[in-house]
Amino acid sequence: MIDFSAQKKKIAELLQRTAIVPFYIDAGRVFIPVKMRKALTVNDAVYGYVDLAWLQQVDAVAKNKCRAVVGNGMEIDIFSSRITVVNSQNNGQRVREMLADQVKDETNDEQIIGLIIKFLRELRNILQ
């Protein structure tokens, strides 16, 4: 299970942002927020999330509108400037890098534990 509240707090600290931030499922699945439609009312949630790995290209269409091309060739209209989407991509990349570093650290810990277990088994064999 994923604690999205804790995740959001962690990512907000990493990016030094309090607004809408990316979220992740694992190191390979980082989702970035993009404005998917115009607001209908005040405080209307207009953001959707795009998998960073699938986002291939972002082209400006108008002042506050761009079009994204995703991995399957589908085009998505985004109601933000291209610069805003690129900044969101950069933030998503920073999250991905943070997660990759954590995976490396966990792998090292797992390797150390594995070596300790092997050592203890060998020690037991010697004592027997």
Side-chain angles (χ1 to χ4, degrees):
M1 296 188 67
I2 299 173
D3 182 349
F4 285 109
S5 297
Q7 185 185 104
K8 183 177 180 179
K9 183 177 178 183
K10 181 179 181 179
I11 293 172
E13 289 174 7
L14 170 73
L15 301 177
Q16 297 179 345
R17 293 181 54 121
T18 56
I20 307 209
V21 295
F23 76 91
Y24 61 89
I25 296 174
D26 60 34
R29 302 294 309 270
V30 176
F31 295 83
I32 61 169
V34 293
K35 196 178 286 187
M36 301 297 280
R37 62 183 177 81
K38 293 182 180 181
L40 301 175
T41 63
V42 177
N43 296 328
D44 186 10
V46 296
Y47 286 89
Y49 289 83
V50 176
D51 189 334
L52 183 62
W54 277 69
L55 191 56
Q56 292 184 339
Q57 181 180 332
V58 180
D59 299 316
V61 174
K63 182 179 178 185
N64 285 321
K65 190 173 180 183
C66 60
R67 185 165 292 122
V69 178
V70 294
N72 62 0
M74 188 172 130
E75 294 182 355
I76 301 170
D77 287 333
I78 299 175
F79 293 88
S80 298
S81 68
R82 182 181 182 284
I83 292 170
T84 301
V85 176
V86 169
N87 286 338
S88 190
Q89 282 181 286
N90 291 338
N91 286 335
Q93 186 59 39
R94 287 179 62 195
V95 170
R96 183 187 286 168
E97 290 166 2
M98 173 200 68
L99 294 171
D101 290 344
Q102 286 179 357
V103 169
K104 287 178 191 173
D105 292 345
E106 289 171 8
T107 302
N108 290 339
D109 290 346
E110 290 171 5
Q111 290 172 346
I112 291 169
I113 291 169
L115 291 172
I116 291 170
I117 290 170
K118 285 182 182 179
F119 171 75
L120 292 174
R121 286 181 183 152
E122 290 298 319
L123 187 59
R124 182 185 64 198
N125 290 339
I126 292 170
L127 292 174
Q128 289 175 349

